[in-house]
């Protein structure tokens, strides 16, 4: 996998949201939603992104897709710099990069037939005739495990799992290369979750897809992902092949996260590591290592100096002074 050039090269990516003071209408600070992330994404892989709610997973995914304007850093896709491109310049990449959301219903118009909703992508991006478009939609429906005749149905006539299949059909309609799955299976029952994951895997093979798989459930990520990025307060804490991360976590935050998984890893004694204190507010960003306020290993150095993002073993990166 690593012998090929990366599909995406992300360097020093930052996404800050300005905080506007309501009285003076001036910027009075920033929410640091993504703080200095650098990594490569390889073709055909599933890269997991995990971390507590509010740690910047969605913002990271959206910024990589160009749905949010980046604050600093570079993103290159197939060797071309796409960070900071205008809407028009981004158009040719938009087809190649798609997103699957947690709640596909939110993006569906309740009065629009499902077939028409899926067809929209073809109207916007292709010159296909009405008949050709309909054919493509019917093929897509069967490809995601639905029936052709569902074309005529409305969103409320589908179950949660079926709606997610519709979301997936829309995402793959234009043959993308890269898909951000943002909590795509998080709201589903376990059995439905397994079916959707199976579908995503099947499509990954048949369409040569690369996934950025955002989830807060570390158990699911373990099964689905080749590599996993752990985020804390917008920053990258650790990145490693999934097996390595789960069997040999290095960052104290990763260790704490893993210790909180309900089902322990077979054969391993389970000791819950409880983190002290609350998650700091990303608008009042800690100095030094962002995790130092809750870290059991923190020293004076951690309070003052941002730890370097180091590759400690091949493919295993960590940002911690104490590792
Ligand atoms: P996650 O997906 O990990 O739950 P998000 O990316 O949604 O995290 O949010 C990261 C941080 O950025 C949070 O503190 C959130 O409140 C903030 N944030 C997200 N979107 C915006 C926005 N449009 N404007 C201001 N702050 C935002
Ligand atoms: Mg999110």
């Amino acid at each position: 996998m690593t012998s090929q050039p990366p599909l995406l090269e992300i360097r020093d990516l930052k996404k800050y949201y300005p905080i506007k003071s309501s009285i003076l209408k001036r910027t009075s600070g920033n929410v640091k939603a993504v703080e200095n992330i650098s990594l490569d994404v390889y073709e055909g892989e599933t890269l997991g992104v995990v971390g507590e709610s509010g740690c910047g997973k969605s913002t990271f995914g959206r910024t990589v897709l160009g749905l949010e304007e980046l604050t600093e850093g570079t993103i290159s896709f197939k060797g071309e710099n796409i960070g900071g491109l205008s809407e028009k310049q981004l158009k040719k990449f938009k087809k190649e990069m798609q997103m699957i959301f947690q709640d596909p219903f939110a993006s569906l118009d309740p009065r629009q037939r499902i077939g028409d909703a899926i067809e929209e992508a073809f109207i916007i991006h292709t010159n296909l005739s009405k008949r050709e478009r309909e054919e493509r939609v019917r093929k897509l429906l069967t490809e995601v495990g639905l029936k052709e005749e569902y074309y005529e149905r409305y969103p409320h006539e589908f179950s949660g799992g079926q709606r997610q299949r519709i979301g997936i059909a829309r995402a793959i309609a234009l043959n993308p290369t890269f898909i951000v799955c943002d909590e795509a299976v998080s709201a589903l029952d376990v059995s439905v979750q397994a079916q959707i994951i199976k579908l995503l895997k099947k499509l990954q093979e048949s369409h040569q897809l690369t996934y950025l798989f955002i989830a807060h459930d570390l158990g699911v990520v373990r099964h689905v992902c080749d590599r996993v990025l752990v985020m804390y307060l917008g920053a990258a804490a650790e990145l490693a092949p999934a097996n390595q991360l789960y069997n040999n976590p290095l960052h104290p935050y990763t260790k704490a996260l893993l210790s909180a998984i309900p089902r322990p890893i077979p054969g391993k004694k389970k000791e819950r590591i409880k983190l002290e204190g609350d998650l700091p507010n990303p608008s009042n960003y800690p100095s030094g290592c962002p995790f130092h306020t809750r870290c059991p290993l923190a020293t004076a150095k951690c309070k003052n100096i941002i730890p370097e993002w180091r590759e400690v073993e091949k493919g295993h990166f960590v940002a911690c002074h104490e590792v």
Side-chain angles (χ1 to χ4, degrees):
M1 197 198 304
T2 41
S3 56
Q4 286 177 1
L7 179 67
L8 275 155
E9 288 172 83
I10 299 162
R11 293 293 175 269
D12 307 314
L13 186 67
K14 295 184 186 183
K15 175 62 194 178
Y16 295 176
Y17 292 107
I19 304 165
K20 296 253 192 281
S21 128
S22 54
I23 306 164
L24 299 169
K25 300 260 183 289
R26 274 203 219 121
T27 302
S28 60
N30 288 306
V31 175
K32 298 187 173 183
V34 175
E35 179 62 338
N36 231 1
I37 293 191
S38 296
L39 57 85
D40 294 334
V41 183
Y42 298 100
E43 218 170 304
E45 78 167 333
T46 302
L47 175 64
V49 182
V50 299
E52 284 158 287
S53 174
C55 74
K57 303 181 296 295
S58 295
T59 306
F60 177 59
R62 293 175 54 79
T63 308
V64 171
L65 291 186
L67 300 172
E68 299 279 350
E69 197 182 328
L70 59 80
T71 305
E72 259 180 53
T74 58
I75 303 172
S76 81
F77 180 73
K78 294 185 173 172
E80 279 191 73
N81 187 6
I82 58 165
L85 290 186
S86 68
E87 196 62 19
K88 202 173 152 206
Q89 292 166 315
L90 263 179
K91 200 170 172 215
K92 77 168 183 184
F93 297 104
K94 281 258 155 98
K95 282 203 285 187
E96 296 220 43
M97 303 167 96
Q98 293 291 329
M99 190 142 181
I100 301 170
F101 302 92
Q102 176 169 358
D103 179 11
F105 201 57
S107 64
L108 292 170
D109 178 348
R111 290 155 307 178
Q112 190 180 32
R113 294 184 309 169
I114 284 306
D116 297 329
I118 301 173
E119 193 195 341
E120 271 175 1
F122 298 121
I123 298 176
I124 298 167
H125 289 281
T126 71
N127 298 319
L128 296 174
S129 69
K130 175 76 184 155
R131 232 197 69 213
E132 289 167 326
R133 293 198 301 261
E134 277 196 28
E135 255 168 43
R136 293 280 286 272
V137 173
R138 290 181 198 280
K139 186 165 165 276
L140 273 170
L141 284 169
T142 53
E143 210 175 355
V144 298
L146 297 171
K147 295 201 172 98
E148 274 189 38
E149 54 268 30
Y150 289 0
Y151 191 109
E152 324 288 337
R153 294 196 186 171
Y154 291 88
H156 73 268
E157 297 176 72
F158 294 96
S159 68
Q162 287 176 325
R163 282 182 205 157
Q164 198 49 284
R165 289 177 192 269
I166 294 161
I168 293 169
R170 290 180 96 185
I172 62 166
L174 298 166
N175 278 323
T177 321
F178 176 65
I179 300 184
V180 174
C181 307
D182 190 356
E183 308 273 8
V185 300
S186 303
L188 303 171
D189 293 342
V190 175
S191 64
V192 182
Q193 217 174 49
Q195 292 164 12
I196 299 295
I197 287 169
K198 205 170 146 196
L199 173 64
L200 288 171
K201 288 258 168 211
K202 187 187 96 181
L203 294 171
Q204 180 165 44
E205 278 183 24
S206 56
H207 290 249
Q208 280 116 43
L209 294 169
T210 304
Y211 292 135
L212 192 74
F213 191 89
I214 297 172
H216 59 263
D217 183 335
L218 277 105
V220 170
V221 168
R222 176 170 207 186
H223 294 298
V224 175
C225 299
D226 302 302
R227 294 192 301 149
V228 180
L229 169 72
V230 179
M231 281 180 75
Y232 183 81
L233 223 57
E238 187 163 2
L239 169 68
N243 269 336
Q244 205 164 330
L245 190 95
Y246 283 80
N247 292 323
N248 183 26
L250 298 176
H251 197 289
Y253 178 61
T254 313
K255 290 182 183 175
L257 269 188
L258 290 178
S259 81
I261 299 183
R263 269 167 305 172
I265 297 161
K268 284 215 170 174
K269 198 161 152 265
K270 192 171 155 69
E271 253 175 73
R272 177 93 192 243
I273 304 168
K274 242 188 140 239
L275 293 178
E276 299 295 328
D278 293 328
L279 189 67
N281 190 326
S283 62
N284 184 14
Y285 207 82
S287 62
C289 172
F291 187 54
H292 87 257
T293 62
R294 297 166 87 195
C295 182
L297 308 178
T299 63
K301 187 180 179 188
C302 306
K303 283 186 191 143
N304 298 310
I305 300 169
I306 299 172
E308 207 187 319
W309 182 237
R310 289 180 298 134
E311 188 169 16
V312 284
E313 252 179 89
K314 191 159 168 46
H316 196 154
F317 295 79
V318 65
C320 176
H321 292 304
E322 297 301 304
V323 169

